[in-house]
Amino acid sequence: MHLIKNIIEIKPYKLLLEFTNGEIRSVDLEQRIMKRSQSPDSKYKDLIDKEYFSSVKLHPEWETIYWENGIDFCPDVLYMEGEPVN
């Protein structure tokens, strides 16, 4: 399992994440957020607000990212979707 060690950089809908294996990956969440925010009751609508998106935090126990509204992402999914950064 790939776990997240650090959030290095936050841009609108994009995160630069350091994983526990030492790799750094750039993850673009825009399409995922837009797709999941289509439902009227979706909490993903909160993430469309760039200021709210930038409030992302690293959960120390789960070793993944999350927002106060309860949204989180599986770190393995973030790793697989992320592009390696040198």
Side-chain angles (χ1 to χ4, degrees):
M1 179 169 221
H2 298 96
L3 301 173
I4 299 170
K5 180 178 177 181
N6 190 22
I7 301 170
I8 297 172
E9 184 175 55
I10 303 167
K11 293 183 178 179
Y13 314 123
K14 295 181 183 179
L15 300 171
L16 191 61
L17 303 173
E18 179 182 4
F19 290 82
T20 54
N21 65 357
E23 284 189 60
I24 297 174
R25 291 184 172 245
S26 176
V27 183
D28 186 343
L29 296 172
E30 185 171 9
Q31 288 183 355
R32 182 179 291 266
I33 290 167
M34 296 308 170
K35 183 177 179 182
R36 291 186 176 183
S37 66
Q38 299 300 310
S39 169
D41 298 332
S42 175
K43 291 183 180 182
Y44 284 87
K45 285 185 178 188
D46 295 342
L47 301 184
I48 293 173
D49 179 327
K50 293 174 184 175
E51 189 173 323
Y52 188 79
F53 180 86
S54 68
S55 71
V56 64
K57 297 177 184 169
L58 179 65
H59 195 289
E61 291 178 36
W62 303 338
E63 295 181 281
T64 194
I65 59 170
Y66 76 100
W67 286 265
E68 291 295 327
N69 68 355
I71 291 178
D72 61 25
F73 286 96
C74 172
D76 273 332
V77 170
L78 295 171
Y79 181 87
M80 288 185 293
E81 291 185 3
E83 295 292 325
V85 175
N86 293 339

